[in-house]
Amino acid sequence: MYRLVIQAPEVDTPNLKQLARLSGAGEIQAIHQQAFRLIGADIANEEAVADFCESAQYDWAFIPEDHGVRDIGLVVMDMDSTLITIECIDEIADMVGIKPQVSEITAAAMRGEIDFRESLTRRVALLAGLDASALQRVYDERLKLMAGAEAMLKGFQAAGAKTLLISGGFTFFTEKLQARLKLTQTIANELEIVDGKLTGRVLGDIVDAERKKTELIRMRDELGLRADQVVAMGDGANDLQMLHAAGFGVACHAKPKVQAEAPYCINHVGLDGVLNYFL
C-alpha cells in the first residue's frame, strides 16, 4: 500500500476527504498545515487523484507506506533554478549588459530545444573579457536559496543521507554552497580565468545530462544504495536522465517537458515538500 502526500499553501478539509475517497485511503494525517498524508491509498487510482489535484492546484505523490526518511541515503540536486532561485550564467551576463541574449539560450536549453553542451559553450563565449569579480557580486547580491531548501537539506542530513550538488553551472558557486550547506560533494563546470578575466571558455569536460546521471549512479554504488534510496531534484531538460535514474526523481518548479516526463513534481510548495514525502 501507499501513502498519498498532498501539499499546497492552503489545503481544504473537504478536498482532503474527497481525495481520501478517490484514492481509497483509510486515514488522513497532518504532517503540518500545508502537508498531509493519506494512509492506505491505492496507486491504481492515480489518474483520478492527478486530475483532482491539478484542478485544486495541489502537489501530490504516492509513496510506499514502509518508506521513511531514514531509508533515503543519497539526495542529488541540480543548482540553478532548483536549489537556488537564479540561473547564475544569466546574472553574470547581466553584469555586461547581455542578459537577454544569454537568457534566451538558457531557456531554450532548459526546454530541451538546444543541446546543453552547445548552449553552454555559446553562452560562456559571450562572457569573454568580463572581470572575474563579477562572480562574487552575483553570489553576494543575487543568489538566493529556493524556498524550503535549507529545511529539506537539514531533514535529510539529520536522517543520515549524503548530498550531491551536480550542476551545469559553475564551481565558483557550487563550492560556496557546499561550505554553506554542508554538502557531501559538488560537481560543476570550471570557468577559465586568466589575468583576472573570464576567457569565454570552460576547463575540462562539460557537465551535461549524461554526466549528471553517471555521477548519481557512481555515488549511489559507492554508498551501496538501491535506486529507491536515492532522491534527485531538477528543473531542466538536462536533469531528466538523472531524475529517471533515482528511485524518486522530482521535477521542482520545472519546465513543462520535465514536468511531463519526471516521476514526481513539486509546483506549489518549496523544496521541503520533497522531504515531506518521507515523513
Side-chain angles (χ1 to χ4, degrees), residues 4-13 15-16 19 28-38 53 56-61 147-149 151 253 265-277 279:
L4 173 58
V5 180
I6 301 296
Q7 306 184 81
E10 293 186 15
V11 181
D12 295 333
T13 299
N15 283 349
L16 279 175
L19 281 164
I28 300 170
Q29 298 176 350
I31 300 170
H32 55 64
Q33 287 185 326
Q34 297 181 340
F36 299 82
R37 64 175 84 85
L38 280 57
C53 288
Q57 294 192 305
Y58 292 169
D59 290 326
W60 59 275
H253 305 277
C265 291
I266 288 283
N267 286 315
H268 305 293
V269 296
L271 293 187
D272 52 328
V274 181
L275 176 67
N276 291 336
Y277 287 176
L279 296 180

Side-chain angles (χ1 to χ4, degrees), residues 15 37 47-48 67 70 72 96 100 108 115 134 139 197 200 211 217 247 252 264:
N15 283 349
R37 64 175 84 85
E47 186 174 347
H67 217 74
R70 294 199 175 275
I72 302 301
V96 285
D115 174 75
Y139 182 82
K197 296 188 181 299
R211 176 81 182 279
I217 292 169
C252 298
Y264 298 87

Side-chain angles (χ1 to χ4, degrees), residues 95 99 127 161 167 215 271:
M95 299 292 177
K99 183 174 181 177
L127 304 178
S167 172
E215 293 291 350
L271 293 187

Side-chain angles (χ1 to χ4, degrees), residues 10-271:
E10 293 186 15
V11 181
D12 295 333
T13 299
N15 283 349
L16 279 175
K17 291 180 177 178
Q18 177 64 9
L19 281 164
R21 285 190 290 270
L22 285 173
S23 65
E27 183 181 358
I28 300 170
Q29 298 176 350
I31 300 170
H32 55 64
Q33 287 185 326
Q34 297 181 340
F36 299 82
R37 64 175 84 85
L38 280 57
I39 304 300
D42 187 347
I43 199 168
N45 300 319
E46 183 174 9
E47 186 174 347
V49 167
D51 289 344
F52 186 94
C53 288
E54 183 176 359
S55 64
Q57 294 192 305
Y58 292 169
D59 290 326
W60 59 275
F62 281 91
I63 306 294
E65 276 193 355
D66 59 353
H67 217 74
V69 68
R70 294 199 175 275
D71 294 302
I72 302 301
L74 175 62
V75 177
V76 184
M77 300 152 287
D78 171 52
M79 180 175 68
D80 297 79
S81 298
T82 298
L83 184 64
I84 63 175
T85 60
I86 63 170
E87 292 284 337
C88 289
I89 193 166
D90 294 357
E91 302 308 317
I92 297 167
D94 198 31
M95 299 292 177
V96 285
I98 57 169
K99 183 174 181 177
Q101 299 94 301
V102 170
S103 295
E104 183 178 346
I105 302 171
T106 300
M110 293 302 98
R111 292 192 300 265
E113 297 168 2
I114 304 175
D115 174 75
F116 182 79
R117 285 172 173 265
E118 175 196 344
S119 76
L120 187 70
T121 300
R122 284 169 54 188
R123 286 177 289 165
V124 171
L126 293 171
L127 304 178
L130 178 64
D131 195 289
S133 63
L135 303 178
Q136 187 66 46
R137 282 188 58 203
V138 169
Y139 182 82
D140 291 339
E141 299 172 15
R142 304 193 180 187
L143 187 148
K144 291 180 172 58
L145 296 176
M146 194 68 75
E150 287 185 284
M152 177 273 294
L153 282 167
K154 286 177 180 176
F156 281 121
Q157 289 167 333
K162 303 298 184 185
T163 49
L164 170 62
L165 177 61
I166 184 159
S167 172
F170 307 118
T171 55
F172 181 89
F173 302 101
T174 58
E175 289 171 359
K176 290 185 180 303
L177 289 169
Q178 180 174 17
R180 175 175 169 183
L181 301 171
K182 299 180 174 61
L183 305 175
T184 309
Q185 185 178 1
T186 62
I187 299 170
N189 299 301
E190 184 176 0
L191 290 167
E192 184 179 59
I193 299 172
V194 175
D195 296 330
K197 296 188 181 299
L198 303 186
T199 66
R201 292 188 293 271
V202 172
L203 297 172
D205 291 336
I206 288 174
V207 177
D208 61 2
E210 181 68 28
R211 176 81 182 279
K212 288 188 174 191
K213 180 186 78 171
T214 299
E215 293 291 350
L216 180 152
I217 292 169
R218 174 196 58 77
M219 195 163 178
R220 179 198 73 193
D221 291 349
E222 284 180 1
L223 294 169
L225 301 173
R226 304 182 308 271
D228 67 355
Q229 294 178 284
V230 181
V231 171
M233 293 170 241
D235 74 297
N238 65 319
D239 296 314
L240 272 170
Q241 291 188 42
M242 173 178 82
L243 299 186
H244 285 301
F248 298 93
V250 189
C252 298
H253 305 277
K255 311 305 179 286
K257 173 183 173 66
V258 185
Q259 289 194 40
E261 297 183 27
Y264 298 87
C265 291
I266 288 283
N267 286 315
H268 305 293
V269 296
L271 293 187

